[in-house]
Amino acid sequence: MSRVVVTGRVPEAALEKLRAEHEVDAWQGPESIGREELLRRVAGADAVVSLLTERIDAELLDAAGPQLKVVANVAVGYDNIDVPACTERGIVAANTPGVLTDATADIAMGLILMSTRRLGEGERLIRSGQAWKWGMFFLLGSSLQGKTLGVVGMGGIGQATARRAKAFGMEIVYQSRSEIDPQIAAELGARRVDLNELLTVSDVVSLHCPYGPATHHLIGAEQLAAMKSSAYLVNTARGPIVDEAALASALREGQIAGAGLDVYEHEPRVHPELLELENVVLLPHLGSATVETRTAMAMLAADNALAVLSGEGPPAPIN
Ligand code: GLV
């Protein structure tokens, strides 16, 4: 029997699966586990099942001890994990790709609709109790039909977002490290372009790339200036891909028409200027937040941990 530390609350089914084979120490507090408590609890762990709110770095790996074999993140993004530090210590790192693709693409599409059709503004207006009535020019937004979606990062979530946008009549361009499956590109009618072209031709730019040193502030003042003044930016990936101060100023100055954000540069803090602007939709990191998806993510993370503990390769390794 090995010792598995789970750093936050996860669906019960995943805990049961882990408990069937191992001793499980799962943080059950309503708030996130504090750093000190986390460092104390991981001592002697053979596996750590981590949430994206916890930093899994060299200090934590060393606090766990040399018996630690696997870190299984309950997320597809793993910028909270120091993967090279895991690799150096012979620790397997794993994530949860695939199972949250549709849920996250749904939120991206939701943000595209919310921002282009001004749904947040409309909701706020009704709730504020202000008088309103139907009007020919009242809260006019922008149609999607015939417009161009630029997908930055054409992995599973980018492709799933493109598929949804195509159903809304949008043309697709994308920027990605590699060419996608030609059959999928043909089905989507998707054309690969460089970031600069994508920014200049797109009516909506949706971010789906991983976060790391190469994508820090990928979208900054210069990139926002390259976008059409009628265009929208949507981010369901990771906050620091966008320079939030530059975005707030581009939105305020009308350099772009609007934005929809599910993630923030200094999460959970939101840049104070964004809170003052009508032309930005702000969601609290809900990309994968469905009962079904969170259950599937936790089960996959449990499977990753269990596989490594029984000497096998995990279903979704990172390193
Ligand atoms: C959520 O943000 C994830 O990376 O799974």
Side-chain angles (χ1 to χ4, degrees), residues 247-308:
L247 175 62
S249 124
L251 288 167
R252 198 184 49 239
E253 305 299 326
Q255 211 167 47
I256 65 170
L261 306 176
D262 189 41
V263 287
Y264 302 90
E265 189 170 352
H266 304 288
E267 213 169 296
R269 196 169 70 78
V270 177
H271 195 291
E273 277 185 47
L274 292 176
L275 296 170
E276 304 298 322
L277 294 168
E278 285 291 352
N279 56 348
V280 60
V281 178
L282 305 167
L283 299 183
H285 204 151
L286 297 178
S288 64
T290 73
V291 172
E292 296 86 346
T293 304
R294 288 284 163 81
T295 304
M297 289 165 70
M299 293 304 265
L300 179 50
D303 287 341
N304 280 327
L306 290 171
V308 176

Side-chain angles (χ1 to χ4, degrees), residues 52 74-79 96 100 104 236-238 263 285 288 294 297:
L52 60 82
V74 192
V76 66
Y78 50 82
D79 48 297
T96 61
L100 46 67
T104 308
T236 54
R238 283 292 183 269
V263 287
H285 204 151
S288 64
R294 288 284 163 81
M297 289 165 70

Side-chain angles (χ1 to χ4, degrees), residues 149-169:
L149 173 70
V151 178
V152 178
M154 194 66 156
I157 300 172
Q159 290 177 31
T161 303
R163 204 165 297 121
R164 284 157 176 74
K166 185 176 160 57
F168 280 82

Side-chain angles (χ1 to χ4, degrees), residues 109 120 129 136 235 318:
M109 197 64 225
M136 182 60 79
N235 189 6
I318 297 166

Side-chain angles (χ1 to χ4, degrees), residues 41-97:
R41 287 208 183 203
V42 294
D46 301 284
V48 172
V49 174
S50 53
L51 302 193
L52 60 82
T53 42
E54 265 55 71
R55 203 172 71 249
I56 309 296
D57 54 11
E59 181 192 30
L60 183 138
L61 300 175
D62 293 338
Q67 77 298 324
L68 181 63
K69 294 173 195 63
V70 54
V71 173
N73 216 30
V74 192
V76 66
Y78 50 82
D79 48 297
N80 60 313
I81 300 180
D82 184 340
V83 179
C86 289
T87 308
E88 274 163 30
R89 292 162 177 77
I91 297 165
V92 175
N95 67 340
T96 61

Side-chain angles (χ1 to χ4, degrees), residues 56-246:
I56 309 296
D57 54 11
E59 181 192 30
L60 183 138
L61 300 175
D62 293 338
Q67 77 298 324
L68 181 63
K69 294 173 195 63
V70 54
V71 173
N73 216 30
V74 192
V76 66
Y78 50 82
D79 48 297
N80 60 313
I81 300 180
D82 184 340
V83 179
C86 289
T87 308
E88 274 163 30
R89 292 162 177 77
I91 297 165
V92 175
N95 67 340
T96 61
V99 292
L100 46 67
T101 298
D102 286 318
T104 308
D106 289 346
I107 288 287
M109 197 64 225
L111 281 173
I112 294 171
L113 287 165
M114 285 187 79
S115 51
T116 57
R117 299 300 300 275
R118 306 175 64 179
L119 304 185
E121 279 178 76
E123 234 255 342
R124 284 193 292 280
L125 182 119
I126 296 249
R127 285 185 185 276
S128 74
Q130 278 181 62
W132 67 276
K133 63 175 191 235
W134 186 92
M136 182 60 79
F137 300 102
F138 177 56
L139 273 186
L140 299 194
S142 173
S143 296
L144 295 181
Q145 181 72 36
K147 300 283 174 59
T148 297
L149 173 70
V151 178
V152 178
M154 194 66 156
I157 300 172
Q159 290 177 31
T161 303
R163 204 165 297 121
R164 284 157 176 74
K166 185 176 160 57
F168 280 82
M170 298 189 82
E171 310 284 334
I172 312 296
V173 296
Y174 71 96
Q175 183 259 331
S176 214
R177 275 175 303 190
S178 45
E179 210 50 80
I180 60 167
D181 179 337
Q183 199 179 325
I184 296 174
E187 277 166 24
L188 293 170
R191 190 166 61 86
R192 187 172 172 214
V193 295
D194 64 25
L195 182 61
N196 201 49
E197 181 176 350
L198 182 145
L199 294 168
T200 53
V201 302
S202 296
D203 299 293
V204 178
V205 173
S206 191
L207 305 178
H208 300 285
C209 51
Y211 174 66
T215 56
H216 180 76
H217 285 188
L218 182 70
I219 305 296
E222 198 186 316
Q223 290 71 28
L224 291 160
M227 288 172 66
K228 299 180 186 180
S229 59
S230 54
Y232 297 81
L233 177 72
V234 166
N235 189 6
T236 54
R238 283 292 183 269
I241 297 170
V242 176
D243 177 343
E244 227 166 65

